[in-house]
């Protein structure tokens, strides 16, 4: 189970205990994470979109259950807040 603030959190016990991903580092400084999308075909793949206070929004992906995140879509996404993220059930990319 995943949840977010300016960090992405992960729980393996139905939310009883939560761990911060990304080596306890926020994805986009102190900007809030506005949306999360989990790949149903691979639960280690998660997408996160931020809703920053002043900078353009950003998208991130992890392919290792949050151990590390990479910013994606810098040149192709419009300058909008990612409200929802849907991952294709047959293509985690």
């Amino acid at each position: 189970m995943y949840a977010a603030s300016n960090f992405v959190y992960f729980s393996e016990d139905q939310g009883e205990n939560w761990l911060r991903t990304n080596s306890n580092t926020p994805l986009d400084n102190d900007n809030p994470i506005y949306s999360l999308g989990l790949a149903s075909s691979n639960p280690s793949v998660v997408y996160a979109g931020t809703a920053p206070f002043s900078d353009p929004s950003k998208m991130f992906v992890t392919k290792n259950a949050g151990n590390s995140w990479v910013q994606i879509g810098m040149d192709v996404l419009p300058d909008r807040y990612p409200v929802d993220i849907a991952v294709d059930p047959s293509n985690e990319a």
Side-chain angles (χ1 to χ4, degrees):
M1 179 184 310
Y2 292 88
S5 59
N6 61 326
F7 294 92
V8 177
Y9 298 88
F10 175 71
S11 175
E12 292 183 306
D13 57 8
Q14 294 81 35
E16 188 73 28
N17 296 290
W18 292 93
L19 300 171
R20 287 181 178 174
T21 68
N22 201 35
S23 300
N24 204 29
T25 305
L27 291 186
D28 189 17
N29 299 315
D30 286 330
N31 292 318
I33 297 163
Y34 199 66
S35 55
L36 290 171
L38 175 66
S40 60
S41 60
N42 183 350
S44 293
V45 177
V46 182
Y47 293 84
T50 63
F53 298 112
S54 61
D55 299 327
S57 61
K58 296 177 184 159
M59 290 290 300
F60 297 87
V61 65
T62 180
K63 296 181 180 181
N64 55 17
N67 290 322
S68 61
W69 294 80
V70 176
Q71 186 178 346
I72 60 171
M74 294 173 279
D75 298 331
V76 297
L77 296 175
D79 187 18
R80 303 285 185 271
Y81 294 157
V83 177
D84 293 310
I85 300 173
V87 181
D88 186 320
S90 61
N91 183 355
E92 65 193 41

